Amino acid sequence: MATVLAGLALVPTVGCGQADEQGRSPGTAPDAALVACGAEGGTRVLTPVVEARGDGLHLEVRNEGQREAHLALERGSSGGAGAAAPPGTSELVLPVGPGTWTVTCYEVGPVASATLELLDTGIWVSTEIDGCEFAESMHGDPPRRVTDDARELPALAASSLEAFVGLRPDVVIEPAGYPAQEGVFRARRDGSTVATMSFYPDGEGGWLEGEATACSSPPEGASEPGG
């Protein structure tokens, strides 16, 4: 049974494997990306098409230089993710969504990028805000520690989004992102996502408040941020 908090219903979502729009079935592509960061600043993606695992995109990074490199994934207005890669081989997990990503290794000197396509195998619950040209985010500075219990996060997401966006009572809060990724939620109304809320582990067993995001000109179902 769904619980209603702050006028918002909290419900779980479940994804299942299915063919993508090109007709490719799960298991037909590797489930980890191999990226080489060249000693002269070049970037090579040796597995141009990969599938996500339950916690996101897994990467094996081969840093061929003598310095730490920064690996960045970018995709237009959808933001991106990044992480440090020490010299040698390291493994990373980035909770980025399906689609084509530009991958760049930044070190010293010139840089070059390559592309990586991450397939949707039916486990990703999108965090894109529907019908939004310009999204607006709000986060604490510094971020607040909000709970030690991950079971409280859905209610905290409802409360935070109610305060930030002024969502209507018929908006539903549900988990988003990858199934093994805790702390990411979206607000839905009439089949459309109108806002998102994220939390991050603090490294000591607790959770920090992340970002509340909504459209700067919200779709129906949400008022102006702060309204």
Coordinates of all heavy atoms in Angstrom, one line a residue, residues 115-222:
T115 N 33.3 8.7 -28.2 CA 31.9 8.5 -27.8 C 31.6 7.1 -27.3 O 32.3 6.2 -27.7 CB 30.9 8.9 -29.0 OG1 31.2 8.0 -30.1 CG2 31.0 10.3 -29.4
L116 N 30.6 7.0 -26.5 CA 30.2 5.7 -25.9 C 28.7 5.7 -25.9 O 28.1 6.6 -25.4 CB 30.8 5.6 -24.5 CG 30.3 4.5 -23.6 CD1 30.8 3.2 -24.1 CD2 30.7 4.7 -22.1
E117 N 28.1 4.6 -26.3 CA 26.7 4.4 -26.3 C 26.3 3.4 -25.2 O 26.8 2.3 -25.2 CB 26.1 3.9 -27.6 CG 24.6 3.8 -27.6 CD 24.1 3.2 -28.9 OE1 24.8 2.9 -29.8 OE2 22.8 3.0 -29.0
L118 N 25.5 3.9 -24.3 CA 25.1 3.1 -23.1 C 23.6 2.6 -23.4 O 22.7 3.4 -23.6 CB 25.1 3.8 -21.8 CG 24.7 3.1 -20.6 CD1 25.6 1.9 -20.3 CD2 24.8 4.0 -19.4
L119 N 23.4 1.3 -23.5 CA 22.1 0.8 -23.9 C 21.2 0.7 -22.7 O 21.6 0.4 -21.6 CB 22.3 -0.6 -24.5 CG 23.2 -0.8 -25.7 CD1 23.2 -2.2 -26.2 CD2 22.7 0.1 -26.9
D120 N 19.9 1.0 -23.0 CA 18.9 0.8 -22.0 C 18.3 -0.6 -22.1 O 17.7 -1.0 -23.2 CB 17.7 1.8 -22.3 CG 16.6 1.7 -21.2 OD1 16.8 0.9 -20.3 OD2 15.6 2.4 -21.4
T121 N 18.5 -1.4 -21.1 CA 18.0 -2.8 -21.1 C 16.7 -3.0 -20.3 O 16.3 -4.1 -20.0 CB 19.1 -3.8 -20.6 OG1 19.4 -3.4 -19.2 CG2 20.4 -3.7 -21.4
G122 N 16.1 -1.9 -20.0 CA 14.8 -1.9 -19.3 C 15.0 -1.8 -17.8 O 14.0 -1.8 -17.1
I123 N 16.2 -1.5 -17.3 CA 16.4 -1.4 -15.8 C 16.4 0.1 -15.4 O 16.3 0.4 -14.2 CB 17.6 -2.1 -15.3 CG1 18.9 -1.6 -16.0 CG2 17.5 -3.6 -15.6 CD1 20.2 -2.2 -15.4
W124 N 16.7 1.0 -16.4 CA 16.8 2.4 -16.1 C 15.5 3.1 -15.9 O 14.6 2.9 -16.8 CB 17.6 3.1 -17.2 CG 17.6 4.6 -17.2 CD1 16.9 5.4 -18.0 CD2 18.4 5.5 -16.3 NE1 17.2 6.7 -17.7 CE2 18.1 6.8 -16.7 CE3 19.2 5.2 -15.2 CZ2 18.6 7.9 -16.0 CZ3 19.8 6.3 -14.6 CH2 19.5 7.6 -15.0
V125 N 15.3 3.8 -14.9 CA 14.1 4.6 -14.7 C 14.5 6.1 -14.9 O 15.3 6.6 -14.1 CB 13.4 4.4 -13.3 CG1 12.2 5.4 -13.1 CG2 13.0 3.0 -13.1
S126 N 14.0 6.7 -15.9 CA 14.6 8.0 -16.4 C 14.4 9.1 -15.3 O 13.4 9.2 -14.6 CB 13.9 8.4 -17.7 OG 14.3 9.7 -18.1
T127 N 15.4 10.0 -15.3 CA 15.4 11.2 -14.4 C 15.2 12.4 -15.2 O 15.4 13.5 -14.7 CB 16.7 11.2 -13.5 OG1 17.8 11.2 -14.4 CG2 16.8 10.1 -12.6
E128 N 14.9 12.3 -16.5 CA 14.7 13.5 -17.4 C 13.4 14.1 -17.0 O 12.4 13.4 -16.8 CB 14.7 13.1 -18.8 CG 16.0 12.5 -19.4 CD 17.0 13.6 -19.5 OE1 16.7 14.8 -19.7 OE2 18.2 13.3 -19.5
I129 N 13.3 15.4 -16.9 CA 12.1 16.2 -16.7 C 11.4 16.4 -18.0 O 12.0 17.0 -18.9 CB 12.4 17.5 -15.9 CG1 13.0 17.1 -14.5 CG2 11.1 18.3 -15.8 CD1 13.4 18.4 -13.7
D130 N 10.2 16.0 -18.1 CA 9.5 16.0 -19.4 C 9.1 17.4 -19.8 O 8.6 18.2 -18.9 CB 8.3 15.1 -19.3 CG 8.6 13.6 -19.2 OD1 9.5 13.2 -19.9 OD2 8.0 13.0 -18.3
G131 N 9.2 17.7 -21.0 CA 8.8 19.0 -21.6 C 9.5 20.2 -21.0 O 9.0 21.3 -20.9
C132 N 10.8 20.0 -20.6 CA 11.5 21.1 -19.9 C 12.7 21.5 -20.8 O 13.6 20.7 -21.2 CB 12.0 20.6 -18.6 SG 12.9 21.9 -17.6
E133 N 12.8 22.8 -21.1 CA 13.9 23.3 -21.8 C 15.0 23.8 -20.9 O 16.2 23.6 -21.2 CB 13.5 24.5 -22.7 CG 14.6 25.0 -23.6 CD 14.1 26.1 -24.6 OE1 12.8 26.4 -24.6 OE2 14.9 26.6 -25.3
F134 N 14.6 24.4 -19.8 CA 15.6 24.9 -18.8 C 15.3 24.4 -17.4 O 14.2 24.8 -16.9 CB 15.7 26.4 -18.8 CG 16.1 27.0 -20.1 CD1 15.1 27.6 -20.9 CD2 17.4 26.9 -20.6 CE1 15.5 28.1 -22.2 CE2 17.7 27.5 -21.8 CZ 16.8 28.1 -22.6
A135 N 16.1 23.5 -16.9 CA 15.9 23.0 -15.5 C 16.6 23.9 -14.5 O 17.6 24.5 -14.8 CB 16.3 21.6 -15.4
E136 N 16.0 23.9 -13.3 CA 16.6 24.7 -12.2 C 16.8 23.8 -11.0 O 15.9 23.0 -10.7 CB 15.7 25.9 -11.8 CG 16.2 26.7 -10.6 CD 15.2 27.9 -10.3 OE1 14.2 28.0 -11.0 OE2 15.5 28.5 -9.3
S137 N 18.0 23.8 -10.4 CA 18.3 23.0 -9.3 C 18.5 23.8 -8.0 O 19.0 24.9 -8.1 CB 19.5 22.1 -9.6 OG 19.2 21.2 -10.6
M138 N 18.3 23.1 -6.9 CA 18.6 23.8 -5.6 C 19.3 22.7 -4.7 O 18.9 21.5 -4.7 CB 17.3 24.2 -4.9 CG 17.5 24.9 -3.5 SD 16.0 25.4 -2.8 CE 15.3 23.8 -2.3
H139 N 20.3 23.1 -4.0 CA 21.0 22.2 -3.1 C 21.6 22.9 -2.0 O 21.9 24.1 -2.1 CB 22.1 21.4 -3.8 CG 23.2 22.2 -4.5 ND1 24.2 22.7 -3.8 CD2 23.3 22.7 -5.8 CE1 25.0 23.4 -4.6 NE2 24.4 23.4 -5.8
G140 N 21.8 22.2 -0.9 CA 22.4 22.9 0.3 C 23.9 23.1 0.1 O 24.6 22.4 -0.6
D141 N 24.4 24.1 0.8 CA 25.8 24.5 0.7 C 26.3 24.9 2.1 O 26.1 26.0 2.5 CB 26.1 25.6 -0.3 CG 27.6 25.9 -0.5 OD1 28.4 25.0 -0.2 OD2 27.9 27.0 -1.0
P142 N 26.9 24.0 2.8 CA 27.2 22.6 2.5 C 26.0 21.7 2.6 O 25.0 22.1 3.2 CB 28.3 22.2 3.5 CG 27.9 23.0 4.7 CD 27.4 24.3 4.2
P143 N 26.0 20.5 2.0 CA 24.8 19.7 2.0 C 24.5 19.2 3.5 O 25.5 18.9 4.2 CB 25.2 18.5 1.1 CG 26.7 18.5 1.1 CD 27.1 19.9 1.2
R144 N 23.3 19.1 3.8 CA 22.8 18.6 5.1 C 22.9 17.1 5.2 O 22.5 16.4 4.3 CB 21.4 19.1 5.4 CG 21.2 20.6 5.6 CD 19.8 20.8 6.0 NE 18.8 20.3 5.1 CZ 17.8 19.5 5.5 NH1 17.7 19.1 6.8 NH2 16.9 19.0 4.6
R145 N 23.3 16.6 6.4 CA 23.1 15.2 6.7 C 21.7 15.0 7.2 O 21.2 15.6 8.1 CB 24.1 14.7 7.8 CG 24.2 13.2 8.0 CD 25.4 12.9 8.9 NE 25.7 11.5 8.9 CZ 25.2 10.6 9.7 NH1 24.3 10.9 10.6 NH2 25.7 9.4 9.6
V146 N 20.9 14.1 6.5 CA 19.5 14.1 6.7 C 19.0 12.9 7.4 O 18.0 12.9 8.1 CB 18.7 14.2 5.4 CG1 18.9 15.6 4.8 CG2 19.1 13.2 4.4
T147 N 19.7 11.7 7.3 CA 19.2 10.5 8.0 C 20.3 9.4 8.0 O 21.3 9.5 7.2 CB 18.0 9.9 7.3 OG1 17.5 8.8 8.0 CG2 18.3 9.5 5.9
D148 N 20.2 8.5 8.9 CA 21.0 7.3 8.9 C 20.3 6.1 8.2 O 20.9 5.0 8.0 CB 21.4 6.9 10.3 CG 22.4 7.9 10.9 OD1 23.2 8.5 10.2 OD2 22.4 8.1 12.1
D149 N 19.0 6.2 7.9 CA 18.2 5.1 7.5 C 17.7 5.4 6.1 O 16.9 6.3 5.9 CB 17.0 5.0 8.5 CG 16.2 3.7 8.2 OD1 16.4 3.1 7.1 OD2 15.4 3.4 9.1
A150 N 18.1 4.6 5.1 CA 17.7 4.8 3.7 C 16.2 4.7 3.5 O 15.7 5.2 2.6 CB 18.5 3.8 2.8
R151 N 15.5 3.9 4.4 CA 14.1 3.8 4.3 C 13.3 5.1 4.5 O 12.2 5.2 4.1 CB 13.6 2.7 5.3 CG 14.1 1.3 5.0 CD 13.7 0.4 6.2 NE 14.4 0.7 7.4 CZ 14.3 0.1 8.6 NH1 13.5 -1.0 8.6 NH2 14.9 0.5 9.7
E152 N 14.0 6.1 5.1 CA 13.4 7.4 5.3 C 13.5 8.3 4.1 O 12.9 9.4 4.0 CB 14.0 8.1 6.5 CG 13.7 7.3 7.8 CD 14.4 8.1 9.0 OE1 15.0 9.1 8.8 OE2 14.2 7.6 10.1
L153 N 14.3 7.9 3.1 CA 14.6 8.8 2.0 C 13.4 9.1 1.1 O 13.2 10.3 0.7 CB 15.7 8.2 1.1 CG 17.1 8.1 1.8 CD1 18.1 7.5 0.8 CD2 17.6 9.5 2.2
P154 N 12.5 8.2 0.8 CA 11.3 8.6 0.0 C 10.5 9.7 0.7 O 10.0 10.6 0.0 CB 10.5 7.3 -0.1 CG 11.5 6.2 0.1 CD 12.5 6.7 1.0
A155 N 10.3 9.6 2.0 CA 9.5 10.6 2.7 C 10.2 12.0 2.7 O 9.6 13.0 2.5 CB 9.2 10.2 4.1
L156 N 11.6 11.9 2.8 CA 12.4 13.1 2.8 C 12.3 13.8 1.4 O 12.3 15.0 1.2 CB 13.8 12.8 3.2 CG 14.0 12.5 4.7 CD1 15.4 11.9 4.9 CD2 13.7 13.7 5.6
A157 N 12.3 12.9 0.4 CA 12.2 13.4 -1.0 C 10.9 14.1 -1.2 O 10.8 15.2 -1.8 CB 12.4 12.3 -2.0
A158 N 9.8 13.5 -0.7 CA 8.5 14.2 -0.8 C 8.5 15.5 -0.1 O 8.0 16.5 -0.7 CB 7.4 13.2 -0.2
S159 N 9.0 15.6 1.1 CA 9.0 16.8 1.8 C 9.9 17.9 1.2 O 9.5 19.0 1.1 CB 9.6 16.5 3.2 OG 9.7 17.7 4.0
S160 N 11.1 17.5 0.7 CA 11.9 18.5 0.0 C 11.3 19.0 -1.3 O 11.3 20.2 -1.5 CB 13.3 17.8 -0.3 OG 14.0 17.5 0.9
L161 N 10.7 18.1 -2.1 CA 10.1 18.6 -3.3 C 8.9 19.4 -3.1 O 8.5 20.4 -3.8 CB 9.8 17.4 -4.2 CG 11.0 16.8 -4.9 CD1 10.7 15.5 -5.7 CD2 11.8 17.8 -5.8
E162 N 8.1 19.1 -2.0 CA 6.9 19.9 -1.7 C 7.4 21.3 -1.3 O 6.7 22.3 -1.8 CB 6.2 19.3 -0.5 CG 5.1 20.1 0.1 CD 3.9 20.2 -0.9 OE1 3.8 19.4 -1.8 OE2 3.1 21.1 -0.7
A163 N 8.5 21.5 -0.6 CA 8.9 22.8 -0.2 C 9.5 23.6 -1.4 O 9.4 24.8 -1.5 CB 10.0 22.7 0.9
F164 N 10.2 22.8 -2.3 CA 10.9 23.5 -3.4 C 10.0 23.8 -4.6 O 10.0 24.9 -5.1 CB 12.0 22.5 -3.9 CG 12.8 23.0 -5.1 CD1 13.2 24.4 -5.2 CD2 13.1 22.2 -6.1 CE1 13.9 24.8 -6.4 CE2 13.8 22.6 -7.3 CZ 14.2 23.9 -7.4
V165 N 9.2 22.9 -5.0 CA 8.4 23.1 -6.2 C 6.9 23.4 -5.9 O 6.2 23.9 -6.7 CB 8.5 21.8 -7.1 CG1 8.0 22.1 -8.5 CG2 9.9 21.4 -7.2
G166 N 6.4 23.0 -4.7 CA 5.0 23.2 -4.4 C 4.1 22.3 -5.2 O 3.2 22.7 -5.8
L167 N 4.5 21.0 -5.2 CA 3.8 20.0 -6.0 C 2.4 19.8 -5.6 O 2.0 19.9 -4.4 CB 4.5 18.6 -6.0 CG 5.9 18.6 -6.6 CD1 6.6 17.3 -6.3 CD2 5.9 18.9 -8.0
R168 N 1.5 19.5 -6.5 CA 0.1 19.3 -6.2 C -0.1 17.9 -5.5 O 0.8 17.0 -5.7 CB -0.7 19.3 -7.5 CG -0.8 20.8 -8.0 CD -1.3 20.9 -9.4 NE -2.5 20.0 -9.7 CZ -3.2 20.1 -10.8 NH1 -3.0 21.0 -11.7 NH2 -4.2 19.3 -11.0
P169 N -1.2 17.7 -4.8 CA -1.4 16.4 -4.1 C -1.5 15.2 -4.9 O -1.3 14.1 -4.4 CB -2.7 16.7 -3.4 CG -2.9 18.1 -3.2 CD -2.2 18.7 -4.5
D170 N -1.8 15.3 -6.2 CA -1.9 14.1 -7.1 C -0.6 13.7 -7.7 O -0.5 12.9 -8.6 CB -3.0 14.3 -8.1 CG -2.7 15.5 -9.0 OD1 -1.9 16.3 -8.7 OD2 -3.5 15.7 -10.0
V171 N 0.5 14.3 -7.3 CA 1.8 13.9 -7.8 C 2.4 12.8 -7.0 O 2.3 12.7 -5.8 CB 2.8 15.1 -7.7 CG1 4.2 14.7 -8.1 CG2 2.3 16.2 -8.7
V172 N 3.0 11.8 -7.7 CA 3.5 10.6 -7.1 C 5.0 10.6 -7.1 O 5.7 11.0 -8.0 CB 3.1 9.4 -8.0 CG1 3.8 8.1 -7.5 CG2 1.6 9.2 -7.9
I173 N 5.6 10.3 -5.9 CA 7.1 10.2 -5.8 C 7.5 8.7 -5.9 O 6.9 7.8 -5.3 CB 7.5 10.7 -4.4 CG1 7.2 12.2 -4.2 CG2 9.0 10.4 -4.2 CD1 8.0 13.1 -5.1
E174 N 8.4 8.4 -6.8 CA 8.9 7.1 -7.0 C 10.4 7.0 -7.2 O 11.0 8.0 -7.6 CB 8.2 6.5 -8.3 CG 8.4 7.2 -9.6 CD 7.6 6.7 -10.7 OE1 6.5 6.2 -10.4 OE2 8.0 6.9 -11.9
P175 N 11.0 5.8 -6.9 CA 12.4 5.7 -7.1 C 12.8 5.9 -8.6 O 12.0 5.5 -9.5 CB 12.7 4.3 -6.6 CG 11.6 3.9 -5.7 CD 10.4 4.6 -6.3
A176 N 14.0 6.3 -8.9 CA 14.4 6.5 -10.2 C 15.9 6.1 -10.3 O 16.5 5.7 -9.4 CB 14.3 8.0 -10.7
G177 N 16.4 6.2 -11.5 CA 17.8 5.8 -11.8 C 17.9 4.3 -12.0 O 17.0 3.7 -12.6
Y178 N 18.9 3.7 -11.4 CA 19.1 2.2 -11.5 C 18.6 1.5 -10.3 O 18.6 2.1 -9.2 CB 20.6 1.9 -11.7 CG 21.1 2.3 -13.1 CD1 21.9 3.5 -13.2 CD2 20.8 1.6 -14.2 CE1 22.3 3.9 -14.5 CE2 21.3 2.0 -15.4 CZ 22.0 3.1 -15.6 OH 22.5 3.5 -16.8
P179 N 18.2 0.2 -10.4 CA 17.6 -0.5 -9.3 C 18.5 -0.7 -8.1 O 18.0 -0.8 -7.0 CB 17.2 -1.9 -9.9 CG 18.1 -2.0 -11.1 CD 18.3 -0.6 -11.6
A180 N 19.8 -0.7 -8.3 CA 20.7 -0.9 -7.1 C 21.2 0.5 -6.6 O 22.1 0.6 -5.8 CB 21.9 -1.7 -7.5
Q181 N 20.7 1.6 -7.2 CA 21.1 2.9 -6.8 C 20.1 3.5 -5.9 O 19.0 3.9 -6.3 CB 21.2 3.8 -8.1 CG 21.7 5.2 -7.9 CD 21.6 6.0 -9.2 OE1 21.1 5.6 -10.2 NE2 22.1 7.2 -9.1
E182 N 20.4 3.7 -4.6 CA 19.5 4.3 -3.7 C 19.6 5.8 -3.7 O 20.7 6.4 -4.1 CB 19.8 3.8 -2.3 CG 19.5 2.3 -2.0 CD 19.8 2.0 -0.6 OE1 21.0 2.0 -0.2 OE2 18.9 1.7 0.1
G183 N 18.6 6.5 -3.3 CA 18.7 7.9 -3.1 C 18.3 8.8 -4.2 O 18.5 10.0 -4.1
V184 N 17.7 8.3 -5.3 CA 17.3 9.1 -6.4 C 15.8 8.9 -6.6 O 15.3 7.7 -6.7 CB 18.1 8.7 -7.7 CG1 17.6 9.6 -8.9 CG2 19.6 8.8 -7.5
F185 N 15.1 10.0 -6.7 CA 13.6 9.9 -6.8 C 13.1 10.9 -7.9 O 13.8 11.9 -8.2 CB 12.9 10.3 -5.5 CG 13.4 9.3 -4.4 CD1 14.5 9.7 -3.6 CD2 12.7 8.2 -4.1 CE1 14.9 8.8 -2.6 CE2 13.1 7.3 -3.1 CZ 14.2 7.6 -2.4
R186 N 11.9 10.6 -8.5 CA 11.3 11.5 -9.4 C 9.8 11.7 -9.0 O 9.2 10.9 -8.4 CB 11.4 11.0 -10.8 CG 10.6 9.7 -11.1 CD 10.8 9.3 -12.5 NE 10.0 8.1 -12.9 CZ 9.9 7.5 -14.1 NH1 10.7 8.0 -15.0 NH2 9.1 6.5 -14.3
A187 N 9.3 12.9 -9.3 CA 7.9 13.2 -9.1 C 7.1 13.1 -10.4 O 7.5 13.8 -11.4 CB 7.8 14.6 -8.5
R188 N 6.1 12.4 -10.4 CA 5.3 12.1 -11.6 C 3.9 12.6 -11.5 O 3.2 12.4 -10.5 CB 5.3 10.6 -12.0 CG 6.7 10.0 -12.1 CD 7.2 10.2 -13.6 NE 6.5 9.2 -14.4 CZ 6.7 9.1 -15.7 NH1 7.5 10.0 -16.3 NH2 6.1 8.2 -16.4
R189 N 3.3 13.1 -12.6 CA 1.9 13.4 -12.7 C 1.4 13.1 -14.1 O 2.0 13.6 -15.1 CB 1.7 14.9 -12.3 CG 0.2 15.2 -12.4 CD -0.1 16.7 -12.0 NE -1.5 16.9 -11.9 CZ -2.2 17.3 -13.0 NH1 -1.6 17.5 -14.2 NH2 -3.5 17.6 -12.9
D190 N 0.4 12.4 -14.2 CA -0.2 12.0 -15.5 C 0.8 11.5 -16.5 O 0.8 11.9 -17.7 CB -0.9 13.3 -16.1 CG -2.1 13.7 -15.3 OD1 -2.7 12.9 -14.5 OD2 -2.5 14.9 -15.3
G191 N 1.7 10.7 -16.0 CA 2.7 10.0 -16.9 C 3.9 10.9 -17.2 O 4.7 10.5 -18.0
S192 N 4.0 12.1 -16.6 CA 5.2 12.9 -16.9 C 6.0 13.2 -15.7 O 5.4 13.3 -14.6 CB 4.7 14.3 -17.5 OG 4.0 14.1 -18.7
T193 N 7.3 13.3 -15.8 CA 8.1 13.7 -14.7 C 8.2 15.2 -14.5 O 8.6 15.9 -15.5 CB 9.6 13.1 -14.9 OG1 9.5 11.6 -14.9 CG2 10.5 13.5 -13.7
V194 N 7.9 15.7 -13.4 CA 7.9 17.2 -13.2 C 9.0 17.6 -12.3 O 9.3 18.8 -12.2 CB 6.5 17.6 -12.6 CG1 5.4 17.3 -13.6 CG2 6.2 17.0 -11.3
A195 N 9.7 16.7 -11.5 CA 10.8 17.1 -10.7 C 11.6 15.9 -10.2 O 11.1 14.8 -10.4 CB 10.3 17.9 -9.4
T196 N 12.8 16.1 -9.8 CA 13.6 15.0 -9.2 C 14.3 15.4 -7.9 O 14.4 16.6 -7.7 CB 14.7 14.6 -10.2 OG1 15.6 15.7 -10.4 CG2 14.1 14.1 -11.5
M197 N 14.7 14.4 -7.1 CA 15.3 14.7 -5.9 C 16.4 13.6 -5.7 O 16.1 12.4 -5.9 CB 14.3 14.7 -4.7 CG 15.0 15.0 -3.3 SD 15.5 16.7 -3.2 CE 16.8 16.6 -2.0
S198 N 17.6 14.0 -5.2 CA 18.6 13.0 -5.0 C 19.3 13.2 -3.6 O 19.3 14.3 -3.0 CB 19.7 13.2 -6.1 OG 20.3 14.5 -6.0
F199 N 19.8 12.1 -3.1 CA 20.5 12.1 -1.8 C 21.8 11.3 -2.1 O 21.9 10.4 -3.0 CB 19.7 11.4 -0.7 CG 18.4 12.1 -0.4 CD1 17.3 11.7 -1.1 CD2 18.3 13.1 0.5 CE1 16.1 12.3 -0.9 CE2 17.1 13.7 0.8 CZ 16.0 13.3 0.1
Y200 N 22.9 11.5 -1.3 CA 24.1 10.9 -1.5 C 24.7 10.3 -0.2 O 24.5 10.9 0.9 CB 25.2 11.9 -2.0 CG 24.8 12.5 -3.3 CD1 24.1 13.7 -3.4 CD2 25.0 11.9 -4.5 CE1 23.7 14.3 -4.6 CE2 24.6 12.4 -5.7 CZ 24.0 13.6 -5.7 OH 23.6 14.2 -6.9
P201 N 25.3 9.1 -0.2 CA 25.9 8.6 1.0 C 27.0 9.5 1.5 O 27.7 10.1 0.8 CB 26.5 7.2 0.5 CG 25.8 6.9 -0.8 CD 25.5 8.2 -1.4
D202 N 27.1 9.6 2.9 CA 28.1 10.5 3.4 C 29.4 9.7 3.8 O 30.4 10.3 4.3 CB 27.6 11.2 4.7 CG 27.3 10.2 5.8 OD1 27.5 9.0 5.7 OD2 26.9 10.7 6.9
G203 N 29.5 8.4 3.4 CA 30.7 7.6 3.7 C 30.8 7.1 5.1 O 31.7 6.4 5.4
E204 N 29.8 7.5 5.9 CA 29.8 7.0 7.3 C 28.5 6.3 7.7 O 28.1 6.2 8.9 CB 30.0 8.2 8.3 CG 31.4 8.9 8.0 CD 31.6 10.1 8.9 OE1 30.6 10.4 9.6 OE2 32.7 10.6 8.9
G205 N 27.8 5.8 6.7 CA 26.5 5.1 6.9 C 25.3 6.0 6.9 O 24.2 5.5 7.0
G206 N 25.5 7.3 6.7 CA 24.3 8.2 6.6 C 24.1 8.8 5.2 O 24.8 8.4 4.3
W207 N 23.2 9.7 5.1 CA 22.8 10.3 3.8 C 22.8 11.8 3.9 O 22.4 12.4 4.8 CB 21.4 9.8 3.4 CG 21.4 8.3 3.1 CD1 21.3 7.3 4.0 CD2 21.6 7.7 1.8 NE1 21.4 6.1 3.3 CE2 21.6 6.3 2.0 CE3 21.8 8.2 0.5 CZ2 21.7 5.4 0.9 CZ3 22.0 7.4 -0.5 CH2 21.9 6.0 -0.3
L208 N 23.3 12.4 2.8 CA 23.4 13.8 2.6 C 22.3 14.3 1.6 O 22.0 13.6 0.6 CB 24.7 14.3 2.1 CG 25.9 14.0 3.0 CD1 27.2 14.4 2.2 CD2 25.9 14.7 4.3
E209 N 21.7 15.4 1.9 CA 20.7 16.0 0.9 C 21.5 16.4 -0.4 O 22.5 17.1 -0.3 CB 20.0 17.1 1.5 CG 18.8 17.6 0.7 CD 18.0 18.7 1.4 OE1 18.7 19.5 2.1 OE2 16.8 18.7 1.3
G210 N 20.9 16.0 -1.5 CA 21.6 16.3 -2.8 C 20.8 17.5 -3.5 O 20.6 18.6 -2.9
E211 N 20.4 17.3 -4.7 CA 19.7 18.3 -5.5 C 18.2 18.0 -5.7 O 17.8 16.9 -5.9 CB 20.4 18.4 -6.9 CG 21.7 19.1 -6.8 CD 22.2 19.4 -8.2 OE1 21.7 18.8 -9.2 OE2 23.1 20.2 -8.4
A212 N 17.4 19.1 -5.6 CA 16.1 19.1 -6.0 C 16.0 19.8 -7.3 O 16.5 21.0 -7.4 CB 15.2 19.8 -5.0
T213 N 15.5 19.2 -8.3 CA 15.5 19.8 -9.7 C 14.1 19.9 -10.3 O 13.3 18.9 -10.1 CB 16.4 19.0 -10.6 OG1 17.7 19.0 -10.1 CG2 16.4 19.6 -12.0
A214 N 13.7 21.0 -10.9 CA 12.4 21.1 -11.5 C 12.6 22.1 -12.7 O 13.7 22.7 -12.9 CB 11.4 21.7 -10.6
C215 N 11.6 22.1 -13.6 CA 11.7 23.0 -14.7 C 11.5 24.5 -14.3 O 10.7 24.8 -13.4 CB 10.6 22.6 -15.7 SG 11.0 23.1 -17.4
S216 N 12.3 25.4 -14.9 CA 12.2 26.8 -14.5 C 10.8 27.3 -15.0 O 10.3 28.3 -14.5 CB 13.3 27.6 -15.2 OG 13.4 27.4 -16.6
S217 N 10.3 26.7 -16.0 CA 8.9 26.9 -16.4 C 8.1 25.6 -16.3 O 8.0 24.8 -17.2 CB 8.8 27.5 -17.8 OG 9.4 28.7 -17.9
P218 N 7.7 25.2 -15.0 CA 7.3 23.8 -14.8 C 6.1 23.4 -15.6 O 5.2 24.2 -16.0 CB 6.9 23.8 -13.3 CG 7.5 25.1 -12.8 CD 7.6 26.0 -13.9
P219 N 6.0 22.1 -16.0 CA 4.8 21.5 -16.6 C 3.7 21.6 -15.7 O 3.8 21.8 -14.5 CB 5.2 20.1 -16.9 CG 6.7 20.0 -16.8 CD 7.1 21.1 -15.8
E220 N 2.5 21.3 -16.1 CA 1.3 21.3 -15.3 C 1.5 20.2 -14.2 O 2.0 19.2 -14.4 CB 0.0 20.9 -16.1 CG -1.2 21.0 -15.3 CD -2.4 20.6 -16.1 OE1 -2.3 20.3 -17.3 OE2 -3.6 20.6 -15.5
G221 N 1.1 20.6 -13.0 CA 1.4 19.7 -11.8 C 2.3 20.2 -10.9 O 2.5 19.7 -9.8
A222 N 3.0 21.3 -11.2 CA 4.0 21.9 -10.3 C 3.9 23.4 -10.5 O 3.6 24.0 -11.6 CB 5.4 21.5 -10.6

